[in-house]
Amino acid sequence: MMLDVQDIHTYYGDSHALQGVSLSLQAGETVCLLGRNGAGKSTTLRSIIGLTPPRRGRIVFDGQDITGQATWRTARMGIGLVVEDRRIFPTLSVRENLEISTYRRPGSTGQWTIERIFDLYPMLAEIADRDGANLSGGQQQMLAVARSLMSEPRLLLLDEPNEGLAPVIVQQIGELIDDLSKTTTILFTDQSVHFALKHARRAYILEKGRIVHQASSEDLLHDHAIQDRYLSV
Ligand code: ATP
């Protein structure tokens, strides 16, 4: 088991955002966390990496209890997060954005170098000298994912990687996820079912801070009642 989230409750002040969320990922799986705006998807990812530690429940990563651990520590242990706003440094070039993220975890293999990233994603090599401020949304998202790879995550968390992107870019992000899923365990969030179905083997659905359904992607595709009830069209 790579990740085991057990009945977590997370609050913003008095607001009870996660009300007993449980989910788990086997090593090597790509899983999607679905749900409408405000359902608690981001909070679940934030809770896993320690940005908003849960008040109750337990999170186990690769056999180790990481509940409430500081974010720098979960990053060191091998959990990478790409957030919705992507956090690209606007005054640094694409290459520099990658360079400052180079961090070798103890025990990491050094497989991800800037050269390797540029080899695999020539689109980024072409814009290596462009400032972060001058990137399109899709380029920013590619860079954000590539940057997270520099720390060689064993578990990659992607928060709505398609948010605000044109369909052609969404397709590229999908290909990137497919490619990464060959070597990395991935949990990503999305609001609609279509992207999830194409790129994840199974999915959990969140509603008002609770997991209300889980199914294989294939079963979800045919389950229009569930889609209508819990997901955006
Ligand atoms: P979105 O697609 O909008 O990101 P989401 O499913 O990721 O939605 P969350 O962002 O996790 O949902 O929000 C879950 C709940 O927590 C919502 O009711 C939201 O209003 C609340 N919430 C999120 N961030 C904060 C915050 N910083 N302070 C207070 N409440 C928050």
Side-chain angles (χ1 to χ4, degrees):
M1 189 86 80
M2 181 60 91
L3 178 72
D4 195 15
V5 174
Q6 303 166 0
D7 193 29
I8 58 168
H9 291 252
T10 301
Y11 292 73
Y12 294 100
D14 291 335
S15 163
H16 195 174
L18 298 187
Q19 309 188 7
V21 168
S22 298
L23 58 86
S24 57
L25 272 79
Q26 300 287 344
E29 268 194 313
T30 298
V31 172
C32 182
L33 186 56
L34 287 163
R36 291 202 177 96
N37 252 327
K41 303 180 298 295
S42 302
T43 306
T44 302
L45 301 189
R46 293 168 56 90
S47 298
I48 294 168
I49 63 152
L51 276 176
T52 49
R55 262 190 225 169
R56 274 169 52 200
R58 201 162 164 255
I59 301 170
V60 179
F61 170 62
D62 204 14
Q64 282 182 282
D65 189 334
I66 58 162
T67 322
Q69 287 283 7
T71 302
W72 65 266
R73 210 183 276 271
T74 57
R76 276 202 174 188
M77 291 172 81
I79 307 181
L81 171 71
V82 179
V83 291
E84 275 169 279
D85 69 10
R86 299 163 198 149
R87 310 256 165 99
I88 301 300
F89 295 99
T91 59
L92 300 185
S93 70
V94 166
R95 180 186 295 279
E96 289 165 341
N97 264 281
L98 289 169
E99 274 167 2
I100 58 161
S101 312
T102 309
Y103 165 74
R104 297 273 168 255
R105 268 192 297 110
S108 71
T109 57
Q111 62 161 329
W112 287 106
T113 59
I114 293 179
E115 288 65 37
R116 174 135 188 267
I117 292 214
F118 283 164
D119 270 356
L120 282 174
Y121 309 109
M123 182 268 226
L124 285 176
E126 281 166 28
I127 55 168
D129 298 320
R130 194 174 297 177
D131 277 354
N134 297 324
L135 303 180
S136 69
Q139 291 167 336
Q140 285 182 35
Q141 187 61 270
M142 294 284 286
L143 175 57
V145 175
R147 197 173 53 182
S148 74
L149 295 178
M150 298 299 289
S151 59
E152 299 189 20
R154 286 183 291 152
L155 171 64
L156 188 56
L157 309 175
L158 304 173
D159 199 1
E160 294 200 36
N162 298 318
E163 177 92 350
L165 300 182
V168 57
I169 309 293
V170 169
Q171 195 185 328
Q172 286 175 17
I173 300 294
E175 286 164 11
L176 179 58
I177 290 177
D178 291 348
D179 194 34
L180 293 175
S181 62
K182 291 175 199 154
T183 50
T184 310
T185 310
I186 301 175
L187 177 62
F188 68 92
T189 71
D190 205 73
Q191 296 213 11
S192 86
V193 80
H194 304 283
F195 183 83
L197 290 175
K198 265 173 106 173
H199 304 287
R201 188 190 330 181
R202 59 191 181 88
Y204 292 91
I205 301 180
L206 262 177
E207 163 98 341
K208 297 190 179 128
R210 293 194 172 92
I211 300 279
V212 288
H213 192 73
Q214 61 166 306
S216 71
S217 296
E218 202 163 337
D219 286 348
L220 259 185
L221 177 63
H222 304 294
D223 198 336
H224 296 287
I226 289 286
Q227 288 186 37
D228 291 346
R229 194 157 161 203
Y230 298 120
L231 302 173
S232 309
V233 208

